Amino acid sequence: MQMKKTKKYFDSLKENLKPLLACNERTLRREVIIATSIYILLIFWALWLKFNDFYMVIPNYQWLSKMTVKERFLYDLIPFQIRFDFVNQFWQFPANAVVFAPFGVLLKHLFKKKNIWRDLGICFGVSLCVEVVQLFTIIGNFATADLIMNTVGYFIGLAVYCLIFKKLSLHTTVWFYRVVDVVLIPIFVWAIITTVNNWELIVAILTRTL
């Protein structure tokens, strides 16, 4: 009797899990939406809040507080200028490309209709938003070089999509994104927890009271 109940329970569980474990276009889009949303939020978290490294940010704000409002806005309109710390700035350019490369894959799977100009516009828009946020919150600076390298990153991701992901079966692609989501979700939760723990510093940064 107990065996029958157990079997019935697992059969019911299996039926309920079928829609979640199905491998079709709808499931793929759902997994990609989750991955893309979390990835964009993590990009803002990493590039704006600097991984919550406020011990580095606070001295900069205390120094900036002595400057006029106009002097606080940091920007580099001429791309690829190396002004200081050559090694770090040199590696920053390809690093930006690597960070935005996943967009070349994600956006191809996100929409039914393929449109490279739309995808490129979305990638550039996210990049521009990050740069503007850094400009007005004075954590980092607005740099045209970053916009260029982020766009280059999109084309790197697009090349990876054409060489690898375009050849994968729907089943393999769906499970790939499921694994990606499983990895990204805990990282996102950890980012939220650490950010909430530093909420006073974030408010101070936004209100420029440091």
Side-chain angles (χ1 to χ4, degrees):
M1 188 69 177
Q2 186 64 32
M3 289 292 293
K4 288 183 177 180
K5 287 184 178 180
T6 304
K7 185 176 182 301
K8 186 177 180 180
Y9 170 79
F10 280 105
D11 288 342
S12 176
L13 182 64
K14 186 177 179 181
E15 287 298 318
N16 292 330
L17 287 177
K18 270 186 178 180
L20 294 175
L21 298 178
C23 294
N24 50 47
E25 291 290 341
R26 183 178 179 180
T27 307
L28 173 61
R29 193 154 291 106
R30 181 191 66 205
E31 301 296 337
V32 175
I33 288 173
I34 295 171
T36 305
S37 302
I38 294 177
Y39 190 70
I40 290 175
L41 291 172
L42 286 176
I43 285 177
F44 273 91
W45 174 74
L47 299 183
W48 177 49
L49 295 180
K50 308 296 183 186
F51 301 97
N52 289 319
D53 189 5
F54 292 108
Y55 293 104
M56 176 188 71
V57 173
I58 290 174
N60 291 340
Y61 261 82
Q62 292 171 340
W63 172 70
L64 286 166
S65 64
K66 301 176 182 178
M67 303 171 67
T68 65
V69 174
K70 186 176 181 180
E71 290 173 331
R72 291 183 186 184
F73 289 99
L74 307 175
Y75 53 87
D76 285 323
L77 298 181
I78 301 175
F80 305 111
Q81 293 186 92
I82 305 294
R83 295 182 176 177
F84 58 90
D85 199 353
F86 175 84
V87 175
N88 285 340
Q89 284 197 275
F90 177 81
W91 285 109
Q92 182 180 349
F93 298 138
N96 285 342
V98 170
V99 168
F100 276 77
F103 279 106
V105 177
L106 289 168
L107 295 176
K108 278 293 182 183
H109 289 135
L110 187 60
F111 301 101
K112 286 184 179 181
K113 187 176 180 181
K114 310 301 181 185
N115 188 321
I116 187 173
W117 296 111
R118 176 202 58 214
D119 297 347
L120 183 60
I122 293 173
C123 181
F124 183 82
V126 172
S127 176
L128 183 61
C129 286
V130 170
E131 296 300 311
V132 170
V133 167
Q134 289 186 119
L135 174 67
F136 283 96
T137 57
I138 323 176
I139 301 181
N141 64 317
F142 184 98
T144 53
D146 291 347
L147 292 175
I148 294 171
M149 293 309 300
N150 295 344
T151 304
V152 170
Y154 165 78
F155 284 107
I156 293 174
L158 182 61
V160 172
Y161 169 81
C162 293
L163 292 173
I164 300 175
F165 286 90
K166 196 174 182 180
K167 300 175 183 179
L168 297 179
S169 66
L170 178 62
H171 182 273
T172 303
T173 305
V174 169
W175 277 102
F176 169 80
Y177 279 108
R178 281 175 177 157
V179 172
V180 169
D181 290 342
V182 168
V183 173
L184 288 179
I185 289 174
I187 296 174
F188 181 61
V189 172
W190 175 73
I192 291 175
I193 293 172
T194 56
T195 301
V196 169
N197 288 338
N198 288 302
W199 71 270
E200 291 180 332
L201 287 172
I202 295 174
V203 171
I205 288 171
L206 292 174
T207 56
R208 311 235 169 85
T209 57
L210 288 175

